[in-house]
Amino acid sequence: MPTMPLWVRRNRAVAWVGYVAVLITFATLPMALTAAGTGHTGFALLAGGICAAALITGVTLVSTTVHRDHTQHHATPNLLADSWDQTTAARRRRRSR
């Protein structure tokens, strides 16, 4: 098996970071709302800040990676793919004719 290209490793890392960011967002949002509802403003601000930072980080990383992959004609970040398509889009079009 050939070595994995750098863009595939980057896509997998970004997919995992995006997944963890979603988990952190879903964990801290109820914490922030509960803290705000019970009158703990310091904890509400802390949990809300962590929630917002995780959401912004995840969305930014995934969207910039998807944009770069579309520009360079690569596959988008995917956690379930064990392989990647090594042929370019132009070569696939030529083969299909």
Side-chain angles (χ1 to χ4, degrees):
M1 179 174 192
T3 59
M4 193 179 311
L6 182 62
W7 68 269
V8 173
R9 287 186 284 172
R10 183 188 66 235
N11 281 4
R12 286 189 182 168
V14 166
W16 278 108
V17 168
Y19 178 69
V20 169
V22 167
L23 290 179
I24 291 171
T25 300
F26 283 148
T28 56
L29 181 61
M31 291 178 198
L33 294 175
T34 302
T38 58
H40 297 90
T41 56
F43 289 127
L45 287 173
L46 178 66
I50 293 171
C51 178
L55 182 68
I56 290 169
T57 301
V59 167
T60 301
L61 282 173
V62 170
S63 64
T64 55
T65 303
V66 167
H67 176 71
R68 181 176 176 158
D69 288 340
H70 283 215
T71 302
Q72 295 178 351
H73 306 293
H74 294 151
T76 57
N78 188 357
L79 290 176
L80 303 176
D82 287 337
S83 63
W84 63 94
D85 189 13
Q86 297 177 359
T87 59
T88 62
R91 187 173 289 159
R92 281 194 302 268
R93 281 193 300 270
R94 273 189 258 132
R95 246 189 245 160
S96 65
R97 291 181 186 177

